[in-house]
Amino acid sequence: MRIVDLSQPVHTGMQVYPGDPEVTLSTVATVVEDGYQVASLHAGSHTGTHLDAPLHSIPGGRAVDAIDLARLVGPARIVRCTGLAARETIRWSDVADQLEDLDGIAMVLFRTDWSEHFGSERYLEHPVLAAEVAEQLLSAGITVVGVDTLNPDATLDNGDELPFHAVLLGADGVIVENLTNLAQVTWDRPLVSVLPLALAGTDGAPIRAVAMQQDA
């Protein structure tokens, strides 16, 4: 089985959404001094590659540990929308031809290659998905959407408005953010897992996202 890791490594000082808790990963016990090694991790629920549960932006929405895990593992459609300008909006008309015949597809992942800028200020100026994309995907039965950016909505100068989040999470959908390495998934219908940590009652959680190709 071929496996592509779609996750950003978690490390001290890694880029986070502006205002989110900073990430600190440190060693608190060592084999030499203590007979075992243990690390301490301080991080927010939206650290690195992570899943947004409805509770993230919908009052009373579903928490991350209440999401049916069967929704988070399955065949994926990767939509290529590369070569975009900073803050460019992706509309349904731009991607509709890649989103036909979604029968049996569990999730849709948008590949912009903006993950190449992860860790830089430019990463904050990522392209965004129009709310109409969420509406069309929901009408096709897709409730799990992933992006290789910090946010499907605008991160800078957004006026605290998250229209894509409002539509998808408002319909009990989930959003996966900060994916990477989507260009390495070169086969159709990859089996993708975006299982989150079981953080009880929280609005989101880090995930180890992977794409798999089973041997023929």
Side-chain angles (χ1 to χ4, degrees):
M1 176 181 289
R2 180 181 178 188
I3 299 179
V4 174
D5 190 353
L6 306 179
S7 312
Q8 294 286 357
V10 175
H11 60 84
T12 297
M14 70 184 296
Q15 189 170 35
V16 297
Y17 189 89
D20 274 11
E22 296 295 328
V23 179
T24 303
L25 183 61
S26 57
T27 301
V28 296
T30 66
V31 174
V32 172
E33 295 184 0
D34 307 286
Y36 55 87
Q37 182 155 321
V38 173
S40 170
L41 173 64
H42 174 81
S45 56
H46 297 261
T47 292
T49 306
H50 66 274
L51 182 148
D52 287 359
L55 183 59
H56 179 49
S57 62
I58 305 299
R62 190 184 303 271
V64 69
D65 59 319
I67 297 170
D68 182 1
L69 298 183
R71 297 172 58 193
L72 306 178
V73 180
R77 173 74 52 81
I78 298 180
V79 178
R80 182 171 179 174
C81 34
T82 57
L84 300 176
R87 309 195 198 191
E88 185 170 343
T89 298
I90 301 167
R91 304 194 181 281
W92 178 250
S93 59
D94 300 322
V95 294
D97 60 338
Q98 298 184 64
L99 289 166
E100 298 174 350
D101 187 19
L102 292 174
D103 288 348
I105 296 297
M107 64 190 78
V108 170
L109 312 178
F110 288 87
R111 175 194 159 194
T112 68
D113 289 344
W114 214 258
S115 54
E116 296 175 0
H117 303 298
F118 187 82
S120 71
E121 287 299 311
R122 185 165 175 76
Y123 192 62
L124 304 178
E125 299 183 299
H126 55 80
V128 302
L129 289 172
E132 64 178 352
V133 175
E135 294 168 352
Q136 292 289 341
L137 290 174
L138 287 169
S139 69
I142 300 297
T143 63
V144 181
V145 177
V147 294
D148 62 354
T149 61
L150 187 58
N151 191 350
D153 291 301
T155 294
L156 299 177
D157 304 322
N158 60 18
D160 294 327
E161 294 185 0
L162 301 170
F164 190 94
H165 279 75
V167 172
L168 198 75
L169 299 190
D172 201 36
V174 298
I175 296 172
V176 176
E177 297 170 331
N178 291 327
L179 291 165
T180 189
N181 297 328
L182 288 176
Q184 295 181 27
V185 184
T186 57
W187 62 95
D188 292 333
R189 291 178 66 92
L191 178 63
V192 173
S193 170
V194 292
L195 296 175
L197 295 176
L199 302 182
T202 63
D203 48 86
I207 64 177
R208 185 66 178 267
V210 295
M212 296 165 276
Q213 181 184 34
Q214 295 181 319
D215 295 332

